[in-house]
């Protein structure tokens, strides 16, 4: 028998809580990162950002009603966002090479790092990987984002 076969349903669900937490962090982070620059700084609606914000926000809200389905949806939206970013690589790359544009640099970095974590979350949920990987992914995402903040602040000085 496999280890999973001997676990009770509540133990299996508990193991997924870390993955759900990761996916919630990804979705909430993406909503904040795409909406704040668009609404507050640019003061205009940019369709791809608005659509991403709505999709991530909706999936985030559904994590309390249908946790697994919503967490999987966050992973799928993350993959779609990464494909969109890949299609616009030249624009994304040009922003990442200008850390002196602090807000846009951090927003762009975040819109790359968070969906990568969402992709890992999708794989973790589908493949039923260890919840330790979810915790490590969340920690690594935080470290990379803190590093981005440090780089942006160092270029201001």
């Amino acid at each position: 028998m496999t280890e999973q076969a001997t676990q009770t349903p509540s133990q299996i669900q508990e193991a997924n809580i870390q993955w759900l937490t990761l996916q919630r962090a990804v979705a909430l982070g993406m909503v904040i990162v795409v909406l704040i620059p668009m609404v507050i700084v640019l003061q205009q609606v940019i369709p791809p950002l608005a659509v991403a914000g709505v999709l991530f926000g909706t999936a985030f809200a559904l994590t309390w009603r249908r946790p697994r389905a919503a967490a999987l949806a966050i992973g799928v939206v993350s993959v779609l966002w990464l494909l969109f970013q890949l299609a616009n690589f030249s624009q994304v790359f040009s922003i990442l090479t200008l850390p002196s544009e602090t807000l846009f640099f951090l927003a762009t970095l975040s819109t790359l790092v968070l969906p990568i974590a969402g992709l890992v979350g999708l794989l973790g949920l589908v493949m039923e990987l260890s919840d330790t990987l979810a915790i490590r992914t969340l920690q690594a995402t935080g470290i990379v984002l803190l590093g981005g903040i440090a780089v942006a602040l160092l270029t201001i000085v």
Side-chain angles (χ1 to χ4, degrees):
M1 292 178 102
T2 65
E3 182 180 329
Q4 184 175 338
T6 61
Q7 292 178 332
T8 66
S10 64
Q11 290 171 324
I12 294 169
Q13 186 175 3
E14 279 182 29
N16 288 332
I17 288 177
Q18 273 67 11
W19 290 110
L20 179 62
T21 301
L22 171 66
Q23 296 301 71
R24 282 179 176 159
V26 167
L28 185 59
M30 284 298 291
V31 167
I32 291 168
V33 166
V34 299
L35 294 182
I36 287 178
M38 181 176 66
V39 173
I40 295 175
V41 178
L42 299 175
Q43 296 181 346
Q44 63 181 345
V45 174
I46 301 169
L49 296 179
V51 169
V54 168
L55 290 174
F56 278 108
T58 302
F60 176 77
L62 290 174
T63 59
W64 280 274
R65 187 149 172 91
R66 303 275 317 232
R68 183 166 173 80
L72 291 170
I74 291 166
V76 170
V77 174
S78 294
V79 170
L80 293 174
W81 180 257
L82 287 170
L83 291 172
F84 175 75
Q85 293 291 65
L86 185 61
N88 295 303
F89 182 74
S90 62
Q91 183 179 1
V92 171
F93 185 74
S94 67
I95 294 172
L96 285 176
T97 59
L98 298 171
S100 59
E101 297 290 330
T102 306
L103 184 60
F104 293 111
F105 171 77
L106 291 175
T108 304
L109 178 66
S110 298
T111 60
L112 290 172
V113 173
L114 289 170
I116 290 171
L119 170 60
V120 173
L122 175 64
L123 294 173
L125 283 164
V126 170
M127 297 173 68
E128 297 179 0
L129 299 175
S130 167
D131 57 341
T132 304
L133 181 59
I135 296 166
R136 297 289 182 240
T137 302
L138 193 54
Q139 291 170 339
T141 302
I143 289 169
V144 170
L145 293 176
L146 286 174
I149 291 170
V151 167
L153 291 176
L154 289 173
T155 59
I156 293 174
V157 179

